[in-house]
Amino acid sequence: MRAGSRGFIVSALAVPVILYCVLVVSPYAQSFYISLTDWNGLSPQRNFVGLANYTRLVHDDVFWISLWHNVIAVVAIPVVTLALGLFFATMIRVGRYRARGGTLNVRGGAFYRVAYFFPHVLSIAVVGVLFANVYDPTPSGLLNGLLGVAEIDAVNWLGDKSTAYAAILAVIVWLSVGFYVVLFTSSMSVIPVELFEAARLDGATRWQTFWRLTLPLIWDTVQVAGVYLGIHALDMFAIVNVMSAAGGSGGPDNATQVLGNYLYLTAFSDSEFGYATAIGVALLLLTLLFAWVSLRLTRRERIEY
């Protein structure tokens, strides 16, 4: 490398690297320090307590309950969302597979993509109000009204420990599927039609075409989508805070509590910013661990076409 080009590269990278250190690395470093203090978020005094917050974390039952709920979400949300997203995208993209001996978009495919994507543009507050009517515990609620038609007793969807968390996970899947339908449809649209026609001539069924042709060719997109959904499942603060019983408490009896919401309540309700930051650091490490493991487990050789 010539001396002139080296100077140009260093000067071009200097500003972005400095901004990254100030805006990204510095807040993380400060968070690690605050997690070692007993700061209440208001006082200028921060007493250094060492690893006391992390020791408390290990013995905190609510932390482990919240972590378990996040683990369930990390498994359930990506699996269900990706399965539904791939299914609907395949139906839109190759819905007329048998009709013409090849692949054609289903009629009205653009409308279906808009319809599927619509929930994704709604704010969490609107979703909370919408599903407050869907999950209304009285017989006039949407779901309980349908149960009433079948002469089944009304269910307190968000107030019963056995149904509250599943009800919130269902809302997250409903919110997310549309985005991945559009994403996967776009990825499938760049696959040459000749490949589908060749598979058809070889006698491949729809399932064989999807499993042996479509999925391998869009695997990079599916992999990134899975990692993003998993990271999203480790947060879930907004939807749990809006929909959980007793005004975002993670109730009933911590049945819907997740780490993001527990962090928020510890910081802003209990004024324990030091301990809340320790929860945040634990959440950061879990997120990094999940991203590394999922990328390692889902890594495949790239297919060129």
Side-chain angles (χ1 to χ4, degrees):
M1 181 182 298
R2 292 182 299 181
S5 60
R6 178 179 299 174
F8 173 77
I9 293 173
V10 171
S11 61
L13 292 177
V15 173
V17 170
I18 292 173
L19 288 175
Y20 184 82
C21 290
V22 172
L23 299 177
V24 179
V25 177
S26 176
Y28 280 118
Q30 293 181 52
S31 296
F32 279 112
Y33 169 71
I34 293 173
S35 71
L36 302 176
T37 70
D38 62 352
W39 189 40
N40 63 11
L42 298 174
S43 170
Q45 185 177 3
R46 301 176 184 177
N47 297 317
F48 185 78
V49 297
L51 297 176
N53 286 329
Y54 292 97
T55 303
R56 177 184 169 185
L57 206 62
V58 173
H59 299 91
D60 187 345
D61 292 338
V62 179
F63 170 79
W64 290 108
I65 291 172
S66 305
L67 178 60
W68 175 241
H69 288 158
N70 278 111
V71 170
I72 293 174
V74 164
V75 175
I77 290 177
V79 170
V80 177
T81 303
L82 293 180
L84 291 175
L86 287 168
F87 173 76
F88 289 127
T90 303
M91 290 298 100
I92 291 174
R93 177 57 185 155
V94 296
R96 297 165 66 189
Y97 180 82
R98 287 187 179 278
R100 299 291 184 85
T103 62
L104 287 175
N105 291 334
V106 70
R107 289 190 179 91
F111 169 78
Y112 290 127
R113 285 195 293 271
V114 173
Y116 285 129
F117 191 76
F118 181 71
H120 195 71
V121 303
L122 297 176
S123 72
I124 296 298
V126 173
V127 172
V129 174
L130 177 64
F131 276 88
N133 293 313
V134 175
Y135 290 141
D136 189 331
T138 66
S140 61
L142 179 60
L143 286 180
N144 282 334
L146 295 175
L147 293 179
V149 173
E151 299 183 350
I152 299 175
D153 293 337
V155 177
N156 189 356
W157 297 99
L158 296 175
D160 191 319
K161 291 175 62 175
S162 62
T163 58
Y165 193 55
I168 291 178
L169 291 181
V171 174
I172 296 175
V173 171
W174 176 79
L175 272 173
S176 306
V177 165
F179 175 81
Y180 294 98
V181 170
V182 175
L183 181 68
F184 296 148
T185 304
S186 300
S187 297
M188 292 177 186
S189 66
V190 301
I191 300 175
V193 176
E194 291 78 11
L195 295 180
F196 290 106
E197 293 175 348
R200 172 66 175 166
L201 291 174
D202 288 340
T205 63
R206 285 174 182 252
W207 171 251
Q208 290 171 330
T209 302
F210 169 77
W211 187 252
R212 297 180 182 276
L213 176 64
T214 307
L215 187 59
L217 293 179
I218 65 168
W219 182 252
D220 288 347
T221 304
V222 176
Q223 182 191 39
V224 173
V227 173
Y228 180 79
L229 279 167
I231 293 174
H232 179 61
L234 285 170
D235 178 15
M236 293 176 57
F237 160 70
I239 194 71
V240 168
N241 194 265
V242 169
M243 293 191 63
S244 63
S249 66
D253 194 20
N254 291 312
T256 61
Q257 193 66 274
V258 293
L259 288 177
N261 195 58
Y262 185 44
L263 184 159
Y264 173 81
L265 295 175
T266 303
F268 295 98
S269 295
D270 302 336
S271 297
E272 295 184 281
F273 274 70
Y275 185 53
T277 308
I279 298 173
V281 171
L283 183 57
L284 169 65
L285 296 177
L286 288 171
T287 303
L288 294 175
L289 178 63
F290 165 78
W292 180 75
V293 171
S294 58
L295 286 173
R296 293 276 298 180
L297 293 179
T298 59
R299 186 170 55 187
R300 287 186 177 183
E301 186 176 349
R302 182 183 296 273
I303 299 176
E304 302 289 346
Y305 60 91

